Amino acid sequence: MIKLLIYEDNPQLREGLTMLLNGSDGFEVLASFKNCSNVLQELRIYKPDVILMDIDMPGSDGIEGLKQIRLVDNEVKILMLTVFDDNKNVFEAISNGANGYVLKKTPPAKLIEYIQEANSGGAPMTSSIATQVLKMFSSLHSEKGENYNLSEREKQVLHLLVNGYSYKMISAEMFIAIDTVRSHIKKIYEKLHVNSKSEAVAKAFKDRIV
Amino acid sequence: MIKLLIYEDNPQLREGLTMLLNGSDGFEVLASFKNCSNVLQELRIYKPDVILMDIDMPGSDGIEGLKQIRLVDNEVKILMLTVFDDNKNVFEAISNGANGYVLKKTPPAKLIEYIQEANSGGAPMTSSIATQVLKMFSSLHSEKGENYNLSEREKQVLHLLVNGYSYKMISAEMFIAIDTVRSHIKKIYEKLHVNSKSEAVAKAFKDRIV
DNA sequence: CTAAAATACGCATAAATATGCGATAGGGCG
DNA sequence: CGCCCTATCGCATATTTATGCGTATTTTAG
C-alpha cells in the first residue's frame, strides 16, 4: 500500500486525484492540501511514502515545499506536478531533490505507473520533461543549439526582435521598408514554427540562437 | 510503421530483438548489424526512423556510432542500449544527442513503449538511468535573479506569456476576464519597465524569473 | 545554366496588443 | 477606521502585429 499526500491548489484536480488514487488498488491518499504552508507538520503526522506536489500554487509554491521537506527528510518520494515543461522549474525541482516531474495532462494510467515508479526508487518523468533534461545536459557541452537555417538578414531581424524592437524600429534600424520587415518576420515564424513575436523571442532564448 | 535499424554485437540478443520487433504491430526492422563500422552508409541506404544502438560493442562502439550519425543527421531517433547504468556512458550518450538510454534488461513490453516514445519525440529512460541523470544535475546549482516584486498572480500571467499564450488563452487558462489579463499585464510591464509582450518575455528569460 | 533561395517592397485586412480611465471588493496594517 | 495593495472587471481607442497575396531583383547551389 503506497501512502500519499497531495498538494494541489485547484480543488477539482485535488479531488479528482484523490478519488482516482483511492479507487486504485495499492494506493491510499492520507490527506490533501491546497498549499504547503504546513508541509513539515503534515509530513510528521502522516508519514507518507510519496508526495504529489503541484508546482504552481499560490502562497508557498511547490518548489518551496520541496525545499522545506528536503531539509528534514531525504527519504519520502516527491513527485512534482506541473502544467509547464519549462526549463527553470524542472531545473529547480531536480536540483532540490524531487524524485520525478510529470505534466498534469498525463493520463491517469500513466500517473499511477509513475507513482509506483517513484515509490520504488525510480525517477519518472513525462517524455517532454525528459527531453528538456537531456537538452539541458547537451547544452552544457554543445555550445550552440539549432540554427533553423535562418538567413543572415533573418538573424539580424530576430536579434532586433529579441531586443524589443518593433517593426517600425527594425525598419529604421535596417534601412528597409516596414513591409520587408514583415516578410522577414513571416519567414522567421515559418522556420521557427511559431506565430507570434513573443514566441519567437522565447524560442530564441531557449535554443540560444541569440 | 516505425522503421528500425539495430546495432548489437551479441547474436542472440540481435536476433531476439529483431524477432520481437518484427512480430510487433507497427514495427519493422529494416536490418541489424553487429557493429557500426558502416553506420553512415547504412543510415543513407535504409533511412530508419529509430536506431537501437548497443553501447558496448567491440571495434567501433555505440558512442562512436552515435557521434558519427549526429554529424550528418539530427533527425533520426537513437535509443542507446546498455547493460550498465554507469555515469560515464550515460553522460557521453546524452551529451552527444542520444534520444534515450535504456537498460537491456528492460522487459519487451516496456522496450516497445520506449521505442514508440523515442519515435514521437520523447526521451525515454529507464528509471535507474533517470535517477542517475537527476543526481548529476543536483550536483550543479544556480541562483535566482531579480524578483521585481511581482505578485503571485502576475507571475502566473508572465509564465503563461513566456509560454506563448495570448491574452485570450490566458483568460481561459486562469478563469478570469480578458480585461483582467490586461490589468495584470499592464502592471507587469510597469514592474519590469517594458512596454511590449516580447520585451517582457525577453526580460523573463534574461533575469531567470521564469 | 537553371532552379531555388534570399532580399526587397506594396496593399489589404483581421486580430491582438497597449493604454487610459474608470469601478468594486477583500485583506493587511497602523 | 481609513489607507494601500491586489485582484477583478468594463469600455474605448490607437497602434501593432499576423497573414495572405502579390511583384521584382539578386545571390546561391546544383
Side-chain angles (χ1 to χ4, degrees):
Chain A
M1 184 65 81
I2 301 176
K3 290 175 292 176
L4 295 151
L5 284 190
I6 296 176
Y7 292 90
E8 163 64 56
D9 66 312
N10 181 314
Q12 272 111 42
L13 190 50
R14 190 168 66 241
E15 281 310 303
L17 279 172
T18 306
M19 283 178 57
L20 165 70
L21 292 167
N22 273 332
S24 302
D25 256 14
F27 293 90
E28 184 189 356
V29 178
L30 302 174
S32 60
F33 307 93
K34 72 172 191 296
N35 65 52
C36 37
S37 320
N38 297 97
V39 64
L40 294 185
Q41 200 177 339
E42 288 144 9
L43 179 66
R44 207 166 52 241
I45 296 172
Y46 291 102
K47 301 187 196 312
D49 301 309
V50 179
I51 295 176
L52 300 187
M53 177 75 77
D54 182 24
I55 284 209
D56 321 287
M57 281 182 292
S60 176
D61 77 356
I63 299 282
E64 196 44 51
L66 170 67
K67 285 182 187 171
Q68 283 188 46
I69 295 172
R70 282 295 175 239
L71 285 176
V72 301
D73 187 334
N74 286 309
E75 274 310 302
V76 61
K77 311 301 179 192
I78 305 176
L79 201 51
M80 307 303 287
L81 297 180
T82 179
V83 276
F84 304 109
D85 57 351
D86 65 340
N87 263 326
K88 177 68 171 37
N89 276 337
V90 176
F91 191 85
E92 274 286 294
I94 62 189
S95 311
N96 282 288
N99 294 87
Y101 199 106
V102 307
L103 295 184
K104 285 188 181 170
K105 66 178 182 192
T106 302
K110 269 281 175 193
L111 182 62
I112 286 180
E113 217 178 278
Y114 286 149
I115 294 174
Q116 287 167 332
E117 213 174 309
N119 185 58
S120 54
M125 285 181 269
T126 51
S127 58
S128 61
I129 302 290
T131 305
Q132 285 282 336
V133 171
L134 292 203
K135 279 227 192 85
M136 283 192 247
F137 240 107
S138 308
S139 67
L140 294 180
H141 274 284
S142 76
E143 62 285 1
K144 214 176 183 171
E146 294 297 314
N147 207 351
Y148 293 103
N149 290 318
L150 292 179
S151 72
E152 273 314 308
R153 219 56 176 150
E154 285 158 3
K155 277 187 223 165
Q156 289 174 30
V157 172
L158 180 55
H159 195 251
L160 291 168
L161 278 185
V162 164
N163 285 93
Y165 283 56
S166 69
Y167 289 20
K168 207 184 284 181
M169 290 159 78
I170 294 176
S171 141
E173 182 73 27
M174 292 177 67
F175 301 105
I176 55 179
I178 196 163
D179 282 305
T180 306
V181 178
R182 285 190 227 277
S183 302
H184 285 308
I185 291 181
K186 226 166 95 97
K187 215 82 216 302
I188 292 171
Y189 287 178
E190 276 175 29
K191 290 185 178 177
L192 299 194
H193 306 292
V194 300
N195 48 16
S196 78
K197 198 160 76 157
S198 50
E199 279 180 285
V201 169
K203 197 140 195 169
F205 274 99
K206 280 185 193 163
D207 295 354
R208 297 202 169 68
I209 45 188
V210 274
Chain B
M1 183 66 79
I2 301 177
K3 291 175 292 177
L4 295 152
L5 284 190
I6 297 177
Y7 291 90
E8 165 63 58
D9 65 312
N10 181 316
Q12 271 109 43
L13 189 51
R14 190 166 68 242
E15 280 311 302
L17 278 173
T18 306
M19 283 177 57
L20 165 70
L21 292 168
N22 272 333
S24 301
D25 254 15
F27 294 90
E28 183 189 359
V29 178
L30 303 174
S32 60
F33 307 93
K34 70 174 192 297
N35 65 51
C36 38
S37 320
N38 297 95
V39 64
L40 293 186
Q41 201 177 339
E42 288 145 8
L43 178 66
R44 206 167 49 242
I45 296 173
Y46 292 101
K47 302 188 195 310
D49 301 309
V50 179
I51 294 176
L52 300 187
M53 177 75 77
D54 182 23
I55 283 208
D56 322 288
M57 282 183 291
S60 176
D61 78 357
I63 298 281
E64 197 43 51
L66 170 67
K67 284 183 188 170
Q68 283 189 47
I69 294 171
R70 282 294 176 242
L71 285 178
V72 300
D73 187 334
N74 286 308
E75 273 309 301
V76 61
K77 310 302 181 192
I78 304 177
L79 203 51
M80 307 304 286
L81 297 179
T82 180
V83 275
F84 306 111
D85 57 349
D86 63 339
N87 259 327
K88 171 87 168 27
N89 277 337
V90 176
F91 192 83
E92 273 288 291
I94 60 188
S95 310
N96 283 289
N99 296 87
Y101 198 106
V102 307
L103 294 183
K104 286 187 182 171
K105 67 177 181 193
T106 302
K110 267 282 175 194
L111 182 61
I112 286 180
E113 216 177 278
Y114 286 149
I115 293 175
Q116 287 166 333
E117 212 173 309
N119 184 59
S120 55
M125 284 182 271
T126 50
S127 58
S128 62
I129 302 289
T131 306
Q132 288 278 338
V133 172
L134 292 204
K135 282 226 188 87
M136 285 190 246
F137 248 105
S138 308
S139 58
L140 310 169
H141 220 55
S142 80
E143 77 269 33
K144 197 152 66 184
E146 294 297 314
N147 208 349
Y148 293 102
N149 289 319
L150 293 179
S151 73
E152 277 312 311
R153 219 53 178 154
E154 286 158 3
K155 276 188 224 166
Q156 289 174 32
V157 171
L158 179 56
H159 200 166
L160 291 164
L161 279 186
V162 166
N163 281 277
Y165 283 55
S166 68
Y167 288 23
K168 208 184 283 182
M169 290 160 76
I170 294 176
S171 139
E173 181 72 26
M174 293 178 65
F175 303 104
I176 55 179
I178 195 162
D179 282 305
T180 307
V181 178
R182 287 190 225 278
S183 303
H184 285 309
I185 290 182
K186 224 165 94 90
K187 215 82 216 303
I188 292 171
Y189 288 176
E190 277 174 28
K191 290 185 179 177
L192 298 192
H193 306 293
V194 299
N195 48 17
S196 80
K197 197 160 77 156
S198 49
E199 281 181 283
V201 169
K203 197 137 195 169
F205 272 100
K206 281 184 193 162
D207 295 354
R208 297 215 166 66
I209 43 187
V210 277

